[in-house]
Amino acid sequence: MPRQDSEKSITSSTEDPKNWENGKKLCILSIASFTISISPVSISMYYPALIAIREHFNTTQFIVNISVGLFILFTGLIPLVVGSYADVYGRRRVYIFVMFIFTLSSILCAMAENIWVLIAMRTLQSFGSSGVQCICGGIANDIFIPTERGDAYSVFFLGIHLGEIIGSVIGGLLTEYLGWHSIFWFLSIYGSILLFLIICYIPETLYIPEVSSTTTIVTKQFNPLLPFKLLYYPNIILTILYNTSLWIIFYVLNVIIPFSFTNIYNLSPLHIGLVFLARNIGCIVGNLFGDSYSEYLINKYEKRKGKEESYPELRLKSIWIGAILAIVSFFMFGWILEKRVYIIWPLIIIFIGEFGILFLETSTITYLTNPYPEELHTSILAIGDAITALISTIVIILTIPIENKFGVGWLFTALASLALLSNILIILVCLKGRQWRENQNINKDL
């Protein structure tokens, strides 16, 4: 709603950060890239320690999986609140606050004396790590013009991918040689260093242009529930649900690997960390190839028909390679584990399946954001993450009862079947999405 400049209570940058010197921008980007790695590092380091944590607290795999599920849940939900707040009241103080929360909760995780305290502190830790990731995206938009953001995001993705790759390996090493507590002491030290760098070197980047007292400007209002209005649009909700059907497999795989591979192949925590490399490398390669292939198909169509005939749903035609690879791979994966096949084969299947998921996810995420104004991109991604996290958390918690009842083979058969059926959703978007979009007025509704 319109507000006068004299009424603003927003803590904002006094000059447009897009005009800052390149050296200053590079410093901010570098620190943000390291801090954005906190989320994948804190997630991936935890998986190799699941068995050690279960044994230390003399608890069940079901209870341990609750700690995983709640972390995923709040990782998806927190950006709705933190992102909306930072868009209104500024980045810096929120950035400092969420990094402090991450560091403090990491210390408390290391000192936890029972599993429920660990679960509670681990949930609080997800508040900090997901909040940091959300803030970093906002900072990139603040300091770079649209044509520069591609390079900035590539640096961010480097931080995320590096965190995914080294996190599981470091987690395995620390768990095997120093115990699971050392994971959280490591994260506490890492968080403390980054908190110091943020306090010293990250200024406020949210910029509100100065206007006269008689001029009104439109400012965002703090409303974390606003993105839920996007679920009214069929092309958005159906694409989100389609992505969710594949990401459920991704998250279930994360809790299956430590326990199943230890029981079947007698692996140590370090070796479990190395198993996750197959998953992480598959994700990175799939992300790179998926983006390139979708751009190739669009360029090919535009050369034949002309750019004026191009439309966003064309991008979805690139997903079928990834969909087939992911669904077939995970149909096979459960039965390979069930039959205790030599370990190289499940590793290959994991790589192919994760390649497929990220191959198609790259195109669907781009489809969800590109057709709409830039100011809606964060909300679209946030609501997508929230829906995926909510559904995935439920499935993660139910994984052990289902596996115990039917076996790992039927578990992954059910998950792959769900993913196969979900292709009906994306087919509908391919057929009707263009018509749905043309009848939408999202700016007016939001």
Side-chain angles (χ1 to χ4, degrees), residues 8-215:
K8 289 190 299 180
S9 60
I10 301 174
T11 302
S12 63
S13 171
T14 57
E15 59 176 317
D16 191 346
K18 294 181 179 64
N19 297 327
W20 287 347
E21 295 179 354
N22 289 334
K24 186 175 182 178
K25 291 183 179 182
L26 181 60
C27 176
I28 294 171
L29 180 64
S30 299
I31 295 172
S33 180
F34 278 108
T35 55
I36 206 171
S37 69
I38 277 288
S39 183
V41 165
S42 58
I43 292 173
S44 57
M45 287 184 73
Y46 191 66
Y47 293 126
L50 291 182
I51 290 180
I53 290 171
R54 183 193 66 182
E55 293 175 348
H56 178 85
F57 291 115
N58 191 27
T59 187
T60 64
Q61 186 179 346
F62 177 79
I63 299 298
V64 172
N65 280 1
I66 290 177
S67 70
V68 176
L70 289 178
F71 190 97
I72 298 299
L73 175 62
F74 282 89
T75 295
L77 296 180
I78 290 302
L80 292 171
V81 179
V82 172
S84 179
Y85 187 91
D87 283 344
V88 175
Y89 297 106
R91 318 286 188 203
R92 176 177 160 81
R93 59 183 176 184
V94 184
Y95 201 4
I96 293 172
F97 176 72
V98 293
M99 182 55 73
F100 172 77
I101 291 295
F102 174 84
T103 304
L104 175 63
S105 60
S106 297
I107 295 171
L108 295 175
C109 281
M111 299 171 64
E113 296 183 354
N114 67 70
I115 187 63
W116 297 109
V117 172
L118 177 63
I119 290 174
M121 293 304 100
R122 179 75 173 154
T123 303
L124 185 63
Q125 189 185 49
S126 72
F127 177 96
S129 63
S130 61
V132 165
Q133 198 162 8
C134 175
I135 295 298
C136 288
I139 287 175
N141 288 339
D142 292 340
I143 66 177
F144 294 105
I145 61 176
T147 55
E148 298 173 330
R149 287 175 193 159
D151 292 335
Y153 288 142
S154 67
V155 175
F156 279 166
F157 283 128
L158 178 62
I160 291 172
H161 292 325
L162 184 62
E164 291 171 343
I165 289 176
I166 68 172
S168 59
V169 178
I170 294 175
L173 276 169
L174 291 175
T175 301
E176 183 157 339
Y177 294 108
L178 296 176
W180 67 267
H181 296 84
S182 62
I183 288 176
F184 295 106
W185 288 121
F186 174 90
L187 292 174
S188 303
I189 296 169
Y190 189 26
S192 298
I193 293 171
L194 293 175
L195 178 60
F196 173 79
L197 292 175
I198 292 168
I199 293 173
C200 294
Y201 297 106
I202 302 294
E204 179 56 62
T205 62
L206 180 66
Y207 174 65
I208 306 297
E210 292 293 331
V211 294
S212 66
S213 60
T214 59
T215 304

Side-chain angles (χ1 to χ4, degrees), residues 123-391:
T123 303
L124 185 63
Q125 189 185 49
S126 72
F127 177 96
S129 63
S130 61
V132 165
Q133 198 162 8
C134 175
I135 295 298
C136 288
I139 287 175
N141 288 339
D142 292 340
I143 66 177
F144 294 105
I145 61 176
T147 55
E148 298 173 330
R149 287 175 193 159
D151 292 335
Y153 288 142
S154 67
V155 175
F156 279 166
F157 283 128
L158 178 62
I160 291 172
H161 292 325
L162 184 62
E164 291 171 343
I165 289 176
I166 68 172
S168 59
V169 178
I170 294 175
L173 276 169
L174 291 175
T175 301
E176 183 157 339
Y177 294 108
L178 296 176
W180 67 267
H181 296 84
S182 62
I183 288 176
F184 295 106
W185 288 121
F186 174 90
L187 292 174
S188 303
I189 296 169
Y190 189 26
S192 298
I193 293 171
L194 293 175
L195 178 60
F196 173 79
L197 292 175
I198 292 168
I199 293 173
C200 294
Y201 297 106
I202 302 294
E204 179 56 62
T205 62
L206 180 66
Y207 174 65
I208 306 297
E210 292 293 331
V211 294
S212 66
S213 60
T214 59
T215 304
T216 60
I217 60 172
V218 176
T219 61
K220 293 183 178 181
Q221 303 300 301
F222 175 53
N223 184 0
L225 299 180
L226 189 62
F228 283 93
K229 288 188 176 182
L230 293 166
L231 300 181
Y232 171 78
Y233 303 102
N235 59 314
I236 293 178
I237 181 60
L238 293 181
T239 305
I240 288 173
L241 290 175
Y242 175 72
N243 280 347
T244 299
S245 71
L246 275 301
W247 277 98
I248 287 173
I249 300 177
F250 178 89
Y251 288 124
V252 169
L253 185 69
N254 290 338
V255 296
I256 286 293
I257 286 175
F259 295 101
S260 293
F261 276 69
T262 299
N263 293 335
I264 295 171
Y265 302 109
N266 196 29
L267 300 186
S268 68
L270 173 57
H271 291 140
I272 292 295
L274 294 174
V275 168
F276 276 94
L277 280 180
R279 186 209 69 173
N280 297 334
I281 294 173
C283 289
I284 294 171
V285 177
N287 187 288
L288 295 174
F289 275 83
D291 183 62
S292 299
Y293 184 65
S294 65
E295 292 297 332
Y296 164 76
L297 288 184
I298 290 175
N299 291 334
K300 183 178 178 181
Y301 181 88
E302 290 178 348
K303 285 181 180 178
R304 189 172 72 252
K305 297 285 189 177
K307 286 190 176 182
E308 65 279 358
E309 295 296 323
S310 182
Y311 56 98
E313 284 71 26
L314 284 173
R315 190 173 296 275
L316 297 179
K317 293 184 178 182
S318 69
I319 71 172
W320 304 115
I321 294 176
I324 292 170
L325 288 175
I327 292 169
V328 172
S329 295
F330 289 115
F331 262 122
M332 298 171 59
F333 177 76
W335 295 108
I336 284 177
L337 285 188
E338 191 87 27
K339 301 300 180 182
R340 297 173 178 261
V341 176
Y342 184 59
I343 191 171
I344 189 64
W345 294 109
L347 293 180
I348 292 173
I349 290 297
I350 289 172
F351 173 86
I352 295 173
E354 299 300 332
F355 173 92
I357 290 177
L358 268 294
F359 187 98
L360 67 88
E361 198 255 359
T362 301
S363 296
T364 53
I365 290 298
T366 304
Y367 166 72
L368 282 171
T369 54
N370 275 7
Y372 300 108
E374 186 178 307
E375 58 267 23
L376 294 178
H377 290 184
T378 301
S379 294
I380 292 172
L381 295 177
I383 192 60
D385 289 344
I387 296 299
T388 298
L390 178 60
I391 297 175

